[in-house]
Amino acid sequence: MRKRIYSLLLCGAMLTASLFGCGNSEGGSTAAGNQTGDGTTQTTTSKDGGLDVGIVLPTKDEPRWLQDQKQFDKILGEQGFSSKVLFSQGKAETEKTNVEALINDGVKVLIICAQDATAGGAAVQEAKDAGITVICYDRLITDTEAVDYYVTFDSVAVGRAQGQYLIDNAPAAKGVPLYLYAGGATDNNAFLFFQGAWEVLQPKIADGTFVIANSDEAEKLADKAELTRDEEAKIIGQITTDWDFNVAKSKAEAHLTANDASKKGDVCILAPNDGTARSIADAFAADGDVKTYVITGQDAEVASVNYIMNGKQNMTVFKNTSILAADSCAMAAAILKNTTPETATTYNNGAKDVPAKQTDVTVVTKDNYKEVLVDSGYYTQDDIDQAK
Ligand code: BGC
């Protein structure tokens, strides 16, 4: 069997993620971060004049990354790290400039969620050359040796959960139209999500339960259980949303315009995340020939929790950003203390096996959103109500 690069290599006992497991930074001197005019957050520099931890996130235009920022500010502030959070606003060039700004600030540990898995390589190489330890956050930077650690959710499990939800909740009929959508093709996670979804959906496509309604590349590969990266790229190239609500909406509208009523009726939709799910759902709801749809999501954004409560979206996959942020802070703390961070697995990024820590994900529906998201304290009911 072909060995898949960029894939998870299990390498040891499962270690439990420690919530808020950060140590104090040596020389750290600051309290919680201050919000600046452009939405970034910054604390004062450490006593030795540098910056303990610099964080680069993809965009502040998606609620998902604002959740991560909130967690970082809270944890790093509590632990006394000096830190700065910068956003790349969907641009690999801004990401590179952000990394360079942090290098100029004398950052010691860089936590980066790359905008572009390949382009990110040049930015982290500059950081490595400056002696900085690099932690990939949520998204893996590929084809470079300039990454030291990776902190992530189980992204293949996200896709599996989405696919399985569609199987379990599809109309009881043969030949259900299946619309496939994917994330941005420059994000390695888009491949992992699709890989997981395909793994469970493909047998149901092959046996005729589902009929693919919007990708002839996927139709051509309908009998293939395990896809190569190139095959995945061909399908994703057709069904990508670029992680952009507007792209997702116009693509869904174009698919609906191109299809006749035989590909409508009661349908299932694989939507990669909540932002794209809401706009795809709106497009399907507006089509007179679509009677019912079942649609997936990811991130448990408050707007999607409302969609789920109102029956406009069926599920989301909750990824607890407080655990991910805490795990990266714990790694940063270990590095700042010159000790080896705790890892439990490795991911191959095409150039090396990157020591990694991985967190499980949870399926959220109308039935359990309160218990998982509100009773746990992740959101207040007010947070959810305000997004109505
Ligand atoms: C993240 C998702 C997010 C998406 C779009 C992915 O890499 O894992 O949580 O919805 O990017 O920003």
Side-chain angles (χ1 to χ4, degrees):
M1 193 166 41
R2 177 183 167 272
K3 182 138 183 299
R4 182 185 282 273
I5 58 166
Y6 313 124
S7 70
L8 168 70
L9 302 174
L10 285 171
C11 76
M14 290 277 292
L15 295 175
T16 313
S18 62
L19 252 179
F20 310 119
C22 307
N24 283 316
S25 77
E26 281 162 8
S29 64
T30 61
N34 300 314
Q35 192 88 17
T36 62
D38 61 359
T40 61
T41 36
Q42 179 172 13
T43 61
T44 56
T45 51
S46 65
K47 279 181 188 142
D48 60 9
L51 187 66
D52 293 324
V53 185
I55 298 138
V56 180
L57 295 176
T59 177
K60 54 177 184 270
D61 294 340
E62 289 175 43
R64 153 74 216 264
W65 304 113
L66 298 179
Q67 279 295 324
D68 297 79
Q69 177 191 28
K70 189 171 124 193
Q71 305 299 343
F72 276 120
D73 287 346
K74 178 170 181 280
I75 298 165
L76 292 166
E78 278 170 4
Q79 298 299 324
F81 285 103
S82 57
S83 65
K84 200 184 242 185
V85 180
L86 300 175
F87 289 95
S88 307
Q89 293 311 98
K91 294 194 190 79
E93 313 80 68
T94 310
E95 180 171 275
K96 194 150 181 287
T97 317
N98 281 341
V99 170
E100 285 162 0
L102 292 170
I103 296 172
N104 280 336
D105 285 340
V107 74
K108 300 185 186 83
V109 179
L110 172 67
I111 298 176
I112 178 165
C113 183
Q115 180 51 40
D116 181 318
T118 315
V124 292
Q125 187 60 55
E126 281 190 51
K128 277 312 293 172
D129 293 346
I132 295 157
T133 305
V134 176
I135 302 174
C136 285
Y137 182 78
D138 194 76
R139 297 178 180 173
L140 186 59
I141 298 177
T142 53
D143 301 312
T144 175
E145 296 209 0
V147 294
D148 297 290
Y149 298 99
Y150 182 32
V151 181
T152 184
F153 294 105
D154 185 345
S155 295
V156 176
V158 171
R160 268 191 217 118
Q162 294 172 329
Q164 194 58 48
Y165 187 91
L166 294 180
I167 293 169
D168 295 343
N169 294 278
K174 278 270 173 191
V176 175
L178 174 65
Y179 288 79
L180 300 170
Y181 295 94
T186 56
D187 177 2
N188 187 52
N189 285 352
F191 286 79
L192 300 179
F193 301 144
F194 189 77
Q195 178 194 327
W198 186 261
E199 192 183 293
V200 294
L201 288 171
Q202 185 276 334
K204 296 287 175 189
I205 297 166
D207 76 6
T209 304
F210 291 118
V211 175
I212 296 165
N214 66 332
S215 166
D216 56 9
E217 292 292 352
E219 274 176 70
K220 278 186 224 157
L221 294 160
D223 289 328
K224 208 161 171 229
E226 201 185 334
L227 302 178
T228 64
R229 178 97 175 176
D230 285 347
E231 288 166 340
E232 286 173 345
K234 279 194 183 136
I235 302 175
I236 292 172
Q238 275 190 332
I239 60 168
T240 181
T241 58
D242 294 337
W243 291 131
D244 180 318
F245 330 137
N246 295 319
V247 173
K249 187 159 191 287
S250 40
K251 207 161 247 194
E253 284 168 350
H255 292 148
L256 288 165
T257 305
N259 284 349
D260 63 19
S262 70
K263 288 187 176 160
K264 297 184 186 174
D266 299 314
V267 307
C268 283
I269 310 163
L270 177 76
N273 75 348
D274 284 348
T276 58
R278 292 194 301 279
S279 55
I280 294 168
D282 290 347
F284 276 75
D287 188 293
D289 290 326
V290 173
K291 279 200 274 167
T292 64
Y293 63 83
V294 181
I295 190 165
T296 60
Q298 164 176 203
D299 291 333
E301 290 181 3
V302 280
S304 278
V305 177
N306 282 294
Y307 261 51
I308 290 172
M309 285 160 63
N310 296 326
K312 297 202 285 184
Q313 185 178 326
N314 301 80
M315 63 89 83
T316 184
V317 182
F318 172 50
K319 310 202 302 190
N320 191 333
T321 55
S322 66
I323 296 180
L324 211 63
D327 281 349
S328 358
C329 294
M331 270 192 185
I335 294 158
L336 291 163
K337 284 181 187 157
N338 289 322
T339 58
T340 306
E342 186 188 288
T343 53
T345 190
T346 62
Y347 270 73
N348 189 287
N349 77 340
K352 68 186 277 198
D353 286 338
V354 185
K357 187 137 197 226
Q358 180 177 282
T359 291
D360 290 342
V361 297
T362 310
V363 170
V364 168
T365 63
K366 211 177 210 167
D367 296 335
N368 69 349
Y369 90 88
K370 203 166 170 307
E371 181 195 335
V372 177
L373 300 174
V374 183
D375 298 350
S376 67
Y378 192 78
Y379 291 136
T380 61
Q381 187 64 47
D382 206 39
D383 292 332
I384 296 170
D385 291 345
Q386 273 174 12
K388 268 184 187 155

